[in-house]
């Protein structure tokens, strides 16, 4: 039930049915959240605004199909996600992504020439404990922004949209081996970034 | 990454190859030889055990972002007033 979802999230107490509610209110209630989602994915103000607008227009067109199974916000984000996917499909592979090696590292390569850890992974004691705090998400957001774009696009499609390998390869016009390499690089960079900036183990070298 | 890998390379798996395989295990079914090599490597390498746990945790963390973003993830507050007006006009047709 939408009521339950929204009261859990502490948002508007009486979620209205979008099939009858005022689209102007959608923009006031959800515009900022949709924009933040779009900017994380697209990293460009103009593209993000465009995607949000397209999502709202599409929502207006299909509002009768809102089934009330999710909250209005979740429904809108779902539509926005499809618009973002359309953007990647239209664009295909970016030229500058042809070389993965050009992408940066958080603090140099993770391994030495013999394949051993340069910075040994620290023990993240109960990592889930503090993540309800806003500071964690701010740090995590900065780490996500630092992941080079070509890696981040693939990583978000995989981990936020939950697409499988064939769909992502088709969307980004890359091979499975290239996709796996991108995902691995993204995970490695994010892991290291969190370790340095959140778990405070940046100086721990063995 | 070279595949199929030689028996020798798998038997003496280095940490960079091991972490790559942990990532790939989230995307494809590893071969029996690769799984055996990882099990062996895991016994001796605490760092790679941690790596595997941590990227698994990262996946669960990312899944939480898919339905709605915690506001703090993003450094920008939201749409500009002008953009909101533009979108509202577009919605009116």
């Amino acid at each position: 039930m939408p009521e339950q979802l929204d009261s859990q999230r502490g948002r508007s107490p009486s979620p209205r049915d979008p099939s009858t509610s005022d689209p102007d209110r959608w923009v006031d209630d959800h515009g900022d959240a949709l924009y933040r989602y779009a900017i994380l994915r697209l990293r460009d103000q103009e593209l993000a605004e465009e995607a949000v607008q397209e999502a709202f227009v599409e929502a207006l067109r299909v509002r009768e199909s809102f089934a009330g199974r999710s909250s209005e916000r979740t429904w809108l984000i779902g539509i926005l996600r499809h618009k973002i996917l359309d953007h990647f499909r239209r664009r295909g592979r970016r030229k500058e992504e042809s070389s993965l090696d050009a992408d940066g590292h958080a603090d140099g390569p993770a391994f030495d020439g013999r394949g051993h850890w340069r910075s040994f992974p620290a023990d993240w004691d109960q990592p889930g404990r503090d993540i309800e705090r806003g500071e964690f998400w701010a740090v995590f957001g900065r780490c996500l922004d630092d992941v080079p774009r070509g890696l981040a696009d693939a990583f978000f499609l995989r981990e936020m949209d939950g697409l499988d390998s064939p769909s992502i390869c088709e969307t980004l016009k890359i091979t499975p081996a290239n996709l796996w390499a991108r995902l691995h690089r993204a995970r490695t960079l994010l892991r290291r970034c969190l370790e340095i900036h959140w778990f405070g183990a940046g100086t721990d070298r063995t | 990454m070279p595949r199929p890998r030689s028996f020798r390379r798998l038997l003496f798996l280095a940490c960079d190859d091991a972490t790559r395989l942990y990532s790939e295990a989230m995307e494809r079914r590893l071969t029996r030889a690769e799984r055996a090599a990882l099990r062996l490597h895991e016994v001796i390498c605490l760092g790679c055990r941690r790596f595997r746990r941590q990227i698994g945790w990262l996946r669960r963390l990312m899944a939480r972002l898919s339905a709605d973003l915690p506001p703090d993830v993003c450094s920008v507050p939201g749409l500009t007033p002008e953009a909101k007006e533009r979108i509202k006009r577009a919605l009116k047709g």
Side-chain angles (χ1 to χ4, degrees):
Chain A
M1 294 300 287
E3 281 83 1
Q4 273 174 341
L5 268 173
D6 268 45
S7 60
Q8 269 169 14
R9 292 173 166 281
R11 292 231 168 74
S12 52
S14 59
R16 281 151 285 193
D17 182 349
S19 61
T20 54
S21 62
D22 175 12
D24 270 9
R25 188 188 54 77
W26 298 352
V27 179
D28 291 328
D29 286 0
H30 307 296
D32 290 339
L34 262 60
Y35 179 72
R36 286 194 297 264
Y37 191 96
I39 202 96
L40 177 75
R41 301 290 303 266
L42 300 168
R43 298 186 177 180
D44 178 281
Q45 182 186 345
E46 208 174 309
L47 285 176
E49 286 179 0
E50 200 180 287
V52 171
Q53 176 164 332
E54 281 176 12
F56 277 124
V57 170
E58 177 72 7
L60 186 60
R61 199 177 67 78
V62 302
R63 69 199 299 196
E64 301 300 333
S65 69
F66 178 79
R69 279 192 302 271
S70 57
S71 70
E72 194 171 80
R73 171 72 60 84
T74 308
W75 175 67
L76 287 167
I77 296 257
I79 296 172
L80 174 64
R81 266 193 358 225
H82 281 101
K83 294 295 164 195
I84 292 172
L85 267 176
D86 286 345
H87 164 82
F88 285 125
R89 281 202 196 97
R90 277 198 305 269
R91 198 202 53 192
R93 184 179 186 143
R94 301 161 63 92
K95 271 200 263 14
E96 67 267 36
E97 280 165 22
S98 48
S99 165
L100 273 177
D101 295 331
D103 291 324
H105 290 274
D107 65 336
F111 301 99
D112 64 21
R114 291 165 58 221
H116 298 307
W117 289 103
R118 281 178 65 245
S119 330
F120 201 73
D123 182 12
W124 296 2
D125 183 34
Q126 299 180 37
R129 204 179 35 194
D130 291 331
I131 67 169
E132 299 311 327
R133 286 159 51 194
E135 302 101 279
F136 171 78
W137 293 110
V139 169
F140 190 53
R142 284 199 296 279
C143 287
L144 286 172
D145 287 340
D146 280 348
V147 175
R149 197 179 198 128
L151 309 184
D153 290 346
F155 184 70
F156 286 144
L157 289 169
R158 181 74 185 97
E159 305 292 2
M160 281 175 87
D161 298 334
L163 295 189
D164 58 14
S165 287
S167 319
I168 302 175
C169 291
E170 200 193 310
T171 303
L172 297 179
K173 316 271 190 300
I174 57 177
T175 62
N178 184 284
L179 170 64
W180 298 335
R182 287 181 194 214
L183 294 175
H184 177 57
R185 290 285 298 281
R187 288 178 187 131
T188 304
L189 289 172
L190 274 174
R191 193 205 70 79
R192 185 64 186 145
C193 183
L194 278 181
E195 186 153 285
I196 293 170
H197 298 289
W198 183 253
F199 294 101
T203 54
D204 173 21
R205 283 175 187 253
T206 48
Chain B
M1 186 178 25
R3 256 183 305 127
R5 28 183 86 243
S6 71
F7 178 72
R8 198 185 144 76
R9 177 128 188 246
L10 275 178
L11 192 60
F12 300 103
L13 205 59
C15 297
D16 56 351
D17 283 333
T19 56
R20 209 150 33 220
L21 284 177
Y22 285 130
S23 262
E24 289 195 19
M26 295 165 85
E27 310 307 322
R28 66 173 174 93
R29 186 164 169 75
L30 300 183
T31 66
R32 196 184 296 179
E34 287 168 336
R35 289 199 301 275
L38 277 185
R39 274 201 297 275
L40 196 65
H41 184 83
E42 231 172 82
V43 174
I44 53 167
C45 187
L46 173 66
C48 288
R49 285 203 297 276
R50 285 179 179 164
F51 179 89
R52 188 192 57 175
R53 267 202 308 274
Q54 289 163 359
I55 62 171
W57 183 72
L58 257 184
R59 167 161 281 183
R60 294 193 295 280
L61 195 66
M62 289 302 297
R64 295 184 44 159
L65 301 187
S66 69
D68 194 4
L69 237 45
D72 299 285
V73 166
C74 209
S75 54
V76 293
L79 287 166
T80 61
E82 298 78 52
K84 277 186 188 163
E85 283 315 308
R86 206 161 54 235
I87 292 172
K88 285 178 182 176
R89 276 201 303 280
L91 285 174
K92 291 202 172 69

